[in-house]
Amino acid sequence: MNVSSSQRNSAMEFFDSLSNPTKVLVIFIGLAVLFMVVFANNNRNKNKLYRRKKRNFKDNYEAKKKEKSN
């Protein structure tokens, strides 16, 4: 994803035109959104891991082996 220098400059000009309290608010909201995304991904990964721990691979393997031999 290439961003041209004119697009980057216009974004910086927009950010520079904001007042200081607004800049702080925008940064705070951005960090909060990033935190929520990371937190949601972490929970999703934990759930995947817990579901993996509940499986019994030996029993599944033996059942499949028994099905193939029949």
Side-chain angles (χ1 to χ4, degrees), residues 12 14 17 19 27 30-32 34 36 43-44 56 61 69:
M12 289 302 297
F14 170 75
S17 69
S19 65
I27 290 171
L31 288 175
L34 286 174
M36 294 298 284
N43 282 340
R44 194 187 73 173
N56 190 336
Y61 173 76
S69 67

Side-chain angles (χ1 to χ4, degrees), residues 32-45:
V33 168
L34 286 174
F35 176 79
M36 294 298 284
V37 168
V38 169
F39 189 74
N41 188 47
N42 188 33
N43 282 340
R44 194 187 73 173
N45 289 342

Side-chain angles (χ1 to χ4, degrees), residues 10-23:
S10 65
M12 289 302 297
E13 287 172 5
F14 170 75
F15 192 73
D16 289 339
S17 69
L18 298 174
S19 65
N20 283 338
T22 307
K23 287 179 188 177

